[in-house]
Amino acid sequence: HSMIDLRRRLRGLVRFMEMRKRDRLLQKEASHDHLTGLLNRRGFKARIDVLSAEDFPLAVCLFDLDDLKKVNDNYGHETGDRMLQIFAENIRNHTRTTDIRCRYGGDEFAVILKQINDEQTALKKGSEICHDIRESVSAENISTFTSCGIALLNSYGETLDDAIEHAAKALYRAKRENKGSCCLWAEEK
């Protein structure tokens, strides 16, 4: 090959690598929340669509930063954003990289803990996250709570949508009965 041909091929390869890098960046932006770095709902959906039987049983956890609107109103949106970032970091610190972590909505987060079949383990993990965020934001001189609802999904055949709905019901019960607590979903008898 001539030097001219090699240079042309090298430039083509560099352009190709730059395009791949840009594509990966665009894919990350499409699936991750820009503020927290966690998955967004689109990324969350993509990750749960590829769950396999080996990932089960699961603990589906929904968290809500209680009264974030009041924090935004009283301290400003930068402080509210910092709380969201602190909470995301807290979730990263308390979960495994194989677990699925997502900013589910404005002040709601979803975590799917893989291979958790014990209610007490799931409840303990949710409670630890709620407690640690309270400690973290109190260091910022802000008094707020995080509530959590948890539902267990035992087998691959059950639907994750139902588990998310059950976790949401447990979350609302936790917020209603004891704001800042963690509640496990149990079927009403």
Side-chain angles (χ1 to χ4, degrees):
H1 296 282
S2 70
M3 286 301 282
I4 294 171
D5 188 37
L6 288 174
R7 285 186 185 125
R8 186 175 46 81
R9 287 179 182 222
L10 185 58
R11 281 192 303 267
L13 182 60
V14 168
R15 278 194 305 271
F16 174 74
M17 295 305 290
E18 288 171 350
M19 285 176 30
R20 284 194 58 193
K21 183 179 177 181
R22 189 176 66 238
D23 285 347
R24 282 193 301 270
L25 180 62
L26 289 172
Q27 286 176 349
K28 182 174 179 174
E29 287 178 4
S31 63
H32 286 75
D33 175 61
H34 73 282
L35 183 65
T36 64
L38 297 177
L39 292 171
N40 60 23
R41 285 180 90 143
R42 176 182 289 143
F44 181 71
K45 173 98 173 87
R47 288 284 304 275
I48 63 176
D49 284 347
V50 296
L51 284 170
S52 66
E54 292 81 37
D55 295 323
F56 285 78
L58 307 172
V60 178
C61 309
L62 290 180
F63 295 91
D64 184 87
L65 292 173
D66 299 328
D67 303 322
L68 184 63
K69 182 181 180 341
K70 288 181 184 177
V71 171
N72 285 333
D73 292 345
N74 293 330
Y75 301 100
H77 288 277
E78 286 182 12
T79 301
D81 288 351
R82 192 167 62 251
M83 283 186 57
L84 292 167
Q85 292 166 334
I86 290 169
F87 188 70
E89 188 60 31
N90 189 348
I91 287 175
R92 280 188 207 89
N93 291 339
H94 282 280
T95 57
R96 301 163 291 191
T97 56
T98 56
D99 295 327
I100 302 172
R101 305 168 294 207
C102 165
R103 183 173 176 198
Y104 201 65
D107 61 351
E108 288 187 348
F109 292 80
V111 175
I112 296 180
L113 301 169
K114 297 178 181 180
Q115 299 176 341
I116 301 287
N117 60 0
D118 178 76
E119 290 179 350
Q120 293 309 313
T121 302
L123 200 54
K124 180 181 178 196
K125 180 61 68 178
S127 295
E128 285 173 0
I129 292 171
C130 289
H131 177 267
D132 282 1
I133 190 62
R134 186 174 26 229
E135 295 295 315
S136 297
V137 297
S138 69
E140 302 270 325
N141 294 320
I142 298 172
S143 177
T144 190
F145 297 99
T146 301
S147 298
C148 175
I150 300 174
L152 295 181
L153 187 62
N154 293 313
S155 68
Y156 185 67
E158 297 177 47
T159 69
L160 200 53
D161 289 338
D162 287 343
I164 291 170
E165 184 179 319
H166 295 155
K169 288 178 182 177
L171 170 64
Y172 296 129
R173 191 170 77 231
K175 289 173 69 74
R176 185 178 58 248
E177 293 176 4
N178 188 15
K179 202 176 252 192
S181 68
C182 190
C183 187
L184 193 64
W185 180 79
E187 217 171 325
E188 299 293 324
K189 306 243 186 225

